[in-house]
Amino acid sequence: MISISVILKEEWIMSNAILSIKAKLSHTGESIRHPFRVIVEKEMADHIRSWRFIILIAIIALTTIGSLYTALTNFSQAVKPNDPEGTFFFLKLFTITDGTMPSFTVFISFLGPLLGIALGFDAINSEHNRGTLGRMLSQPIHRDYIINAKFTAALAVISVMLTALGLLVMGAGLFFIGIPPTAGEFMRIVFFTILSILYVAFWLNLSILFSVLFRQPATAALSAIAVWLFFSVFYPLIINLITKSLEPPPTATPQHMIAFEQFRLVLLRLMPNQLFSEATTTLLMPSVRSLGPLTMEQMIGALPGPLPLGQSLLMVWPQVTGLASGTIISFVISYILFMRREIRSR
Amino acid sequence: MVSVPEIWKEVTVTENIIELKGLTRRYGQFTAVDSLNLAIEKGEIFGLLGPNGAGKSTTILMMLGLAEPDGGTVRVCGYDPVSDPVEVKRRVGYLPEEVGFYDDLSGMENLIYTARLNGYSANDARTRAGELIRRVGLAGEEDKKTGKYSRGMRQRLGLADVLVKDPEVIILDEPTLGIDPGGVREFLDLIVRLSREQKITVLFSSHHLHQVQQVCDRVGIFVKGKLLAVGDVQSLAAQLFNGDGRPVGSERKNYSLDDIYFRYFEGGVDHE
Ligand SMILES: Nc1ncnc2c1ncn2[C@@H]1O[C@H](COP(=O)(O)OP(=O)(O)OP(=O)(O)O)[C@@H](O)[C@H]1O
Ligand SMILES: [Mg+2]
């Protein structure tokens, strides 16, 4: 009796083993891609071939060229003698403007969200509406592969694009100014690129969350854009209203003033674009040594000079973690919603 | 020492490829599937027959882990789709009610994608997809974008898609919807052939009794979330008409599924 059961069990195990071998070996001995990679590759191909992406590339390339042009034409005025940032003039390419055209960093902080939203707002709902979600989910893959692979693919596309733009600006600078960036400047630009990717990733995840929440891609896109508009237009207004009414009188104690200023900063830092612009400022303007109020005591003895890269990175750490946690929060919410959802066709 | 019941359990695991026990699914107050018990044996073609809204699709979704049961258990190929969905989906092919494809890819490319998700290499995926395209009668259409496929062509491609993974079980949710009568015949013949040749178990939901009667070894009649009767057509008739005093088969030698179906749905049989 034992033997029957053992034989049955062994047969069971054997058949499983054969199945898994069958899955791993191919007749031609080619390597087999992990399903996750298969999905990522398809999604990336979809993005790159889509009209949406081509239009986005066109917009962003044009604005980059525009901001580069203003930066280069104003370059000589922007570099002043005795400027504590004088040695970092290569970085100015990213930040200077003559007032007619925003700088490259401002463009990224403005268009980055649009890029993230555009690549994510129909991630899940369009699969559902096409009836492909049920079919995908009946393949032997974990459910989270779909959402993770979509995020990974969009992020990969965004990373390539932003890196290319960063290199483009550097290349143009090299060509027109004729002086290569120093190692420090180069590292700052690298970190700035990583930061921009993180910033776009935040908006990407938010729009993926909306694509899980709303069945209609148009609704998802509009909601994501509404959040973006809220943060870039209305939220600063609201903060202004609040802080105006709470502003301490000029006779208030310095402690009171500092407390108020810090309160205002906390409110501001709930905005992802505020976090991004603070972090870019620190990274690309090395003379910035504090993002909050400084007391006279703190200022006394401080030499007006650029911060070393390590110090700048330490300073942006809270902003970076803020952005990262925002990204993770929307990811977790969409994950939970998606994992538990019933998938009916259409 | 292993006891007899334990061995028995192992034997039944391999015999009953699908096993539902007390399966329940509620939507708020509404119970879509109500303590359903059902066992389907390896190699059989089982028809789940029921009117619209009976809970057929809901039951199928729970077999694949695409919906979570509120009560009861499901075992498919010896695995629990709630805790082990990937193992179940490795072995089960599922054709959803309204199958969708990536419209900007050709039929061939869609199948290749599915094959690659199932662990085929690029070359093997191509071979396999080509083979199946021919098998379901879409030869010559494989390079057309699926957005330009007709309803019936999509349905055929859907069947090919289900077969890509070389499944042990295929679950088809109203697969003949939108296929022309000749196509339905072919489609059903293909299913029967597959089942017989490759010992594939087929679960097939429908409200077309004639189709179910044509191909199914056994039928389950499913109304309002409850399975009212299970068996082959003749034994269903026996179950049903025994109660009303007529000796089975005395007046008619052969009951058709029509008699049974209408008896349940329109005849007002008092359920329970
Ligand atoms: N998300 C939902 N919320 C509430 N009720 C639902 C939901 N999904 C399905 N139902 C209900 O569950 C019941 C069973 O639905 P199901 O789709 O399983 O029926 P079916 O037997 O497949 O019908 P059909 O033959 O029309 O495909 C229906 O009454 C339906 O209204
Ligand atoms: Mg249905």
Side-chain angles (χ1 to χ4, degrees):
Chain A
M1 276 190 180
I2 296 172
S3 59
I4 297 177
S5 148
V6 168
I7 290 170
L8 279 172
K9 251 214 175 92
E10 286 202 333
E11 198 182 350
W12 187 240
I13 292 167
M14 282 289 283
S15 66
N16 273 341
I18 291 169
L19 256 178
S20 60
I21 289 171
K22 192 178 76 181
K24 287 205 184 73
L25 273 184
S26 79
H27 307 305
T28 49
E30 282 176 283
S31 69
I32 285 164
R33 292 265 158 82
H34 192 272
F36 185 76
R37 253 189 83 183
V38 174
I39 309 178
V40 171
E41 280 169 14
K42 176 186 175 288
E43 291 299 325
M44 284 179 70
D46 279 356
H47 280 314
I48 290 166
R49 277 186 309 198
S50 69
W51 271 107
R52 183 195 315 179
F53 185 70
I54 294 168
I55 292 169
L56 278 171
I57 285 261
I59 295 176
I60 291 179
L62 280 179
T63 48
T64 305
I65 291 168
S67 63
L68 249 179
Y69 177 76
T70 42
L72 285 171
T73 46
N74 292 294
F75 201 70
S76 48
Q77 286 104 303
V79 182
K80 298 178 205 79
N82 294 334
D83 188 345
E85 274 164 27
T87 49
F88 287 95
F89 60 86
F90 203 85
L91 294 180
K92 286 210 152 60
L93 274 182
F94 291 82
T95 52
I96 52 175
T97 159
D98 63 352
T100 53
M101 197 69 172
S103 67
F104 182 70
T105 54
V106 173
F107 266 127
I108 294 287
S109 88
F110 188 70
L111 289 179
L114 203 62
L115 183 63
I117 290 169
L119 295 188
F121 75 93
D122 63 347
I124 301 298
N125 48 17
S126 75
E127 295 269 352
H128 206 162
N129 292 340
R130 278 183 290 186
T132 44
L133 190 58
R135 208 166 52 82
M136 280 281 273
L137 284 176
S138 62
Q139 307 309 327
I141 52 173
H142 291 284
R143 206 182 258 214
D144 51 342
Y145 279 12
I146 296 191
I147 196 164
N148 295 356
K150 289 208 170 236
F151 171 69
T152 311
L155 193 67
V157 168
I158 289 168
S159 309
V160 170
M161 197 164 147
L162 290 177
T163 310
L165 282 179
L167 290 176
L168 180 78
V169 174
M170 271 204 271
L174 204 61
F175 188 77
F176 290 107
I177 308 171
I179 304 169
T182 61
E185 282 176 319
F186 181 75
M187 285 317 287
R188 280 173 188 273
I189 293 169
V190 168
F191 283 114
F192 165 70
T193 309
I194 295 173
L195 180 73
S196 331
I197 293 169
L198 179 63
Y199 178 58
V200 179
F202 169 80
W203 291 100
L204 173 66
N205 258 336
L206 192 72
S207 68
I208 290 180
L209 170 61
F210 285 130
S211 87
V212 175
L213 275 177
F214 300 114
R215 270 302 280 277
Q216 295 307 322
T219 317
L222 272 177
S223 336
I225 289 176
V227 173
W228 171 52
L229 274 181
F230 173 75
F231 277 128
S232 43
V233 179
F234 299 111
Y235 190 69
L237 276 179
I238 295 171
I239 291 185
N240 251 343
L241 284 178
I242 294 176
T243 49
K244 275 259 161 54
S245 64
L246 294 177
E247 199 166 7
T251 54
T253 61
Q255 281 86 352
H256 189 178
M257 295 279 235
I258 288 178
F260 167 76
E261 196 54 27
Q262 255 149 6
F263 169 68
R264 205 178 64 88
L265 268 176
V266 166
L267 287 184
L268 274 175
R269 283 180 183 155
L270 292 177
M271 288 197 295
N273 28 351
Q274 173 74 12
L275 294 180
F276 177 70
S277 70
E278 282 184 6
T280 41
T281 311
T282 316
L283 280 177
L284 296 179
M285 298 181 176
S287 57
V288 171
R289 35 183 55 232
S290 168
L291 294 167
L294 280 177
T295 60
M296 268 323 270
E297 283 158 62
Q298 285 169 313
M299 291 292 286
I300 288 170
L303 296 172
L307 278 184
L309 178 60
Q311 293 297 314
S312 291
L313 285 182
L314 261 177
M315 248 174 78
V316 298
W317 193 241
Q319 275 76 12
V320 170
T321 41
L323 274 179
S325 55
T327 312
I328 291 167
I329 288 169
S330 34
F331 190 72
V332 166
I333 297 174
S334 32
Y335 193 87
I336 291 170
L337 287 174
F338 185 61
M339 292 305 273
R340 304 195 53 84
R341 162 158 318 165
E342 175 176 300
I343 309 294
R344 269 176 197 273
S345 50
R346 300 216 189 182
Chain B
M1 190 58 208
V2 177
S3 61
V4 177
E6 242 172 86
I7 293 175
W8 184 238
K9 217 164 78 194
E10 297 218 358
V11 172
T12 48
V13 162
T14 46
E15 290 266 295
N16 280 341
I17 200 149
I18 297 178
E19 215 166 51
L20 313 178
K21 284 202 187 112
L23 194 63
T24 304
R25 169 84 202 179
R26 293 188 200 90
Y27 293 103
Q29 294 293 309
F30 178 74
T31 308
V33 177
D34 194 358
S35 17
L36 177 65
N37 293 308
L38 178 66
I40 296 174
E41 282 171 25
K42 191 165 171 49
E44 78 175 324
I45 304 183
F46 189 90
L48 205 51
L49 186 64
N52 293 132
K56 305 182 293 290
S57 301
T58 312
T59 307
I60 289 173
L61 289 180
M62 287 191 283
M63 289 180 193
L64 288 145
L66 296 180
E68 269 181 50
D70 290 315
T73 57
V74 191
R75 284 198 93 73
V76 180
C77 301
Y79 292 93
D80 181 352
V82 177
S83 57
D84 245 344
V86 175
E87 288 307 316
V88 170
K89 291 187 284 193
R90 222 184 276 293
R91 296 166 174 79
V92 180
Y94 163 57
L95 182 64
E97 232 166 334
E98 278 182 72
V99 64
F101 293 96
Y102 297 106
D103 287 347
D104 46 343
L105 299 182
S106 70
M108 187 77 175
E109 287 166 333
N110 268 292
L111 284 192
I112 290 175
Y113 185 48
T114 306
R116 304 214 62 195
L117 289 179
N118 279 283
Y120 284 83
S121 70
N123 273 335
D124 290 353
R126 182 162 293 277
T127 323
R128 179 96 184 131
E131 213 171 88
L132 286 167
I133 291 260
R134 248 169 287 127
R135 182 130 209 205
V136 297
L138 281 177
E141 310 278 3
E142 64 263 45
D143 293 326
K144 216 187 214 178
K145 300 246 185 287
T146 47
K148 303 206 164 69
Y149 273 23
S150 73
R151 181 77 204 251
M153 286 159 74
R154 281 169 170 273
Q155 215 61 19
R156 283 161 192 258
L157 189 65
L159 184 62
D161 188 71
V162 163
L163 295 173
V164 163
K165 65 177 80 163
D166 202 3
E168 291 173 38
V169 181
I170 57 182
I171 298 181
L172 311 169
D173 200 351
E174 302 189 21
T176 53
L177 214 68
I179 309 185
D180 58 56
V184 169
R185 264 224 88 79
E186 263 178 65
F187 196 91
L188 294 177
D189 284 346
L190 185 62
I191 291 173
V192 174
R193 201 142 27 88
L194 280 169
S195 167
R196 301 288 178 254
E197 281 169 13
Q198 301 176 23
K199 275 267 168 222
I200 297 180
T201 312
V202 181
L203 174 72
F204 159 26
S205 100
S206 178
H207 35 234
H208 287 286
L209 31 131
H210 296 289
Q211 294 172 10
V212 170
Q213 189 171 14
Q214 264 174 37
V215 297
C216 293
D217 300 323
R218 283 199 308 150
V219 180
I221 294 190
F222 202 44
V223 183
K224 289 192 181 139
K226 285 190 161 64
L227 198 60
L228 298 184
V230 187
D232 59 54
V233 173
Q234 291 316 310
S235 77
L236 274 183
Q239 277 176 37
L240 185 63
F241 293 103
N242 240 351
D244 55 323
R246 285 186 296 179
V248 177
S250 64
E251 290 162 36
R252 290 174 58 179
K253 283 278 174 286
N254 273 315
Y255 286 101
S256 82
L257 204 48
D258 284 276
D259 303 327
I260 301 162
Y261 195 81
F262 290 117
R263 181 81 181 175
Y264 272 113
F265 302 155
E266 273 106 56
V269 170
D270 207 20
H271 311 137
E272 281 169 69

